[in-house]
Amino acid sequence: MPNLPAWRRFLDAEFGTPKPGCYRARPEDFIVDEQLDFMPEDHGEHLWLRLEKRHQTTLDVVKSVSRLCGVTPRDIGYSGMKDRVAVTRQWLSVHLPGREAPSDLGASLAALGVTVLEQARHPRKLKRGVHRTNHFTLRVSGEALQGGRFVDRWESLCRQGIPNYFGPQRFGREGRNLQRAQVLLAKGWRKRDDRQGMLLSTARSFLFNELLSERLGDGTWRQPVAGDTVMLEGTQSVFTVDTVDERLLERAVELDIHPTGVLWGVGEHAALQVAPYEMQLMERHPTLCKGLVDSGVKRAHRALRARLISPQLTWEPEAVLLSFGLPRGSFATAVISELIHHPDFD
């Protein structure tokens, strides 16, 4: 079985290993607010609910809403999966053609620890991945805050961006999701064994993190090399780089473009200087790579770096409050891992 990829901190070379810290002592220390760039239209067959949950996963809430509204989980739409040990706010949609939600829905959800913040009708189901960003408010405490290095590290992240790792929660407790993915892909992926595609996503996330660690090791994670597919900041638009000129490097320094890594699947492999990274993945993890291709999932790209959006730091008596946005799919744990030493990132 593959081991989880080691987290690499790029800031250690400049500032040394960070001291121990704590970042999620209680759910209120980790607040996530999903940001859409549109609002429901106040009419249509789908009831959209903006919910706040605590100590529950998104799928936990989907099951509760489906039961209370008398629909199947497939009638519930959501854009992103949110953490359990956190206070999170996100939209869900419920397909209720020609009828209203139960009058006591809000009270019933409140009894389960879920608050309805807003609701409105909309013609369409909420689809996965339509939100633009997530806004995080995190409380960090511990020895890591002593001295000036914590602020130095934070300001460096604000200037340079973060390694865009998939967080440890993607792989399950003690990497069990990755172990399940390895077994399933070895025998041949079938949708009935992985209804939500979670294990496919786990395998692709693992391979991406492996590639990112390699590029962190040789210093190319934030500057494009020949053959790279690069992504424009704030979009999913990509283009391939055959040659790297001075202007392209300037745009990378300005956080206008980011090199990407492969999300493994069916499609042509990279060329030029990028090819060896992908060849190493195939050599080290043939079962995962072949199984993903055999599953039919399409090859895609993910930025190796993410920019912090509107970052702020506020000191409290015994902690620090960090506020920032990240593009959808980026993990706040990738920020925390550069600031403190914590067992989650060993």
Side-chain angles (χ1 to χ4, degrees), residues 204 262-269 289 292-293 296-300:
R204 285 172 19 125
V262 63
L263 295 173
W264 205 271
V266 179
E268 294 185 6
H269 294 295
C289 291
L292 285 167
V293 171
V297 65
K298 300 299 183 185
R299 178 186 175 97

Side-chain angles (χ1 to χ4, degrees), residues 102-128:
S103 59
D104 62 348
L105 178 61
S108 298
L109 285 172
L112 299 173
V114 179
T115 302
V116 178
L117 302 175
E118 299 177 61
Q119 57 181 315
R121 288 276 178 168
H122 194 67
R124 293 172 294 281
K125 181 179 182 179
L126 179 57
K127 298 294 187 181
R128 293 293 298 271

Side-chain angles (χ1 to χ4, degrees), residues 217-252:
D218 65 20
T220 62
W221 67 280
R222 56 190 173 185
Q223 68 178 54
V225 299
D228 256 332
T229 297
V230 299
M231 184 173 293
L232 293 173
E233 165 62 26
T235 75
Q236 295 294 305
S237 299
V238 297
F239 60 93
T240 301
V241 174
D242 294 325
T243 59
V244 177
D245 58 24
E246 184 175 340
R247 179 55 189 148
L248 199 70
L249 294 176
E250 289 175 353
R251 292 179 67 186

Side-chain angles (χ1 to χ4, degrees), residues 3 48 76 83 88 94 106 130 151 320 323:
N3 295 319
W48 282 38
I76 309 292
D83 299 81
T88 65
V94 190
V130 301
V151 173
V320 67
S323 172

Side-chain angles (χ1 to χ4, degrees), residues 293-306:
V293 171
D294 291 344
S295 77
V297 65
K298 300 299 183 185
R299 178 186 175 97
H301 289 87
R302 170 183 171 91
L304 295 175
R305 176 177 64 176

Side-chain angles (χ1 to χ4, degrees), residues 10-11 14 156-162 221-222 255 305:
F10 83 97
L11 292 178
E14 183 176 359
S156 185
L157 294 180
C158 296
R159 291 192 306 270
Q160 302 184 67
I162 62 166
W221 67 280
R222 56 190 173 185
L255 303 181
R305 176 177 64 176

Side-chain angles (χ1 to χ4, degrees), residues 48-69 76 82-84 86-92 94 104-119:
W48 282 38
L49 303 167
R50 186 167 178 259
L51 304 176
E52 179 180 284
K53 65 180 183 64
R54 180 184 185 276
H55 242 315
Q56 299 182 62
T57 68
T58 297
L59 294 182
D60 290 337
V61 177
V62 166
K63 292 176 183 177
S64 297
V65 172
S66 66
R67 175 177 56 81
L68 293 170
C69 291
I76 309 292
K82 298 294 180 282
D83 299 81
R84 177 191 294 275
V87 175
T88 65
R89 306 179 187 110
Q90 68 181 127
W91 286 93
L92 267 64
V94 190
D104 62 348
L105 178 61
S108 298
L109 285 172
L112 299 173
V114 179
T115 302
V116 178
L117 302 175
E118 299 177 61
Q119 57 181 315

Side-chain angles (χ1 to χ4, degrees), residues 142-214:
E143 186 182 351
L145 304 186
Q146 299 173 9
R149 286 306 193 184
F150 184 89
V151 173
D152 292 339
R153 297 177 83 97
W154 167 254
E155 291 178 346
S156 185
L157 294 180
C158 296
R159 291 192 306 270
Q160 302 184 67
I162 62 166
N164 198 20
Y165 277 114
F166 286 97
Q169 57 267 53
R170 176 59 59 93
F171 305 107
R173 187 180 297 275
E174 298 177 351
R176 291 172 189 165
N177 288 348
L178 181 58
Q179 296 170 11
R180 292 171 58 199
Q182 173 88 356
V183 171
L184 181 58
L185 291 173
K187 69 178 183 180
W189 183 87
R190 297 178 300 181
K191 185 172 180 61
R192 69 184 185 186
D193 299 323
D194 185 23
R195 291 290 184 186
Q196 301 291 329
M198 179 187 70
L199 299 182
L200 287 181
S201 179
T202 296
R204 285 172 19 125
S205 301
F206 169 78
L207 294 173
F208 176 89
N209 278 11
E210 287 273 274
L211 188 150
L212 175 53
S213 288
E214 288 298 314

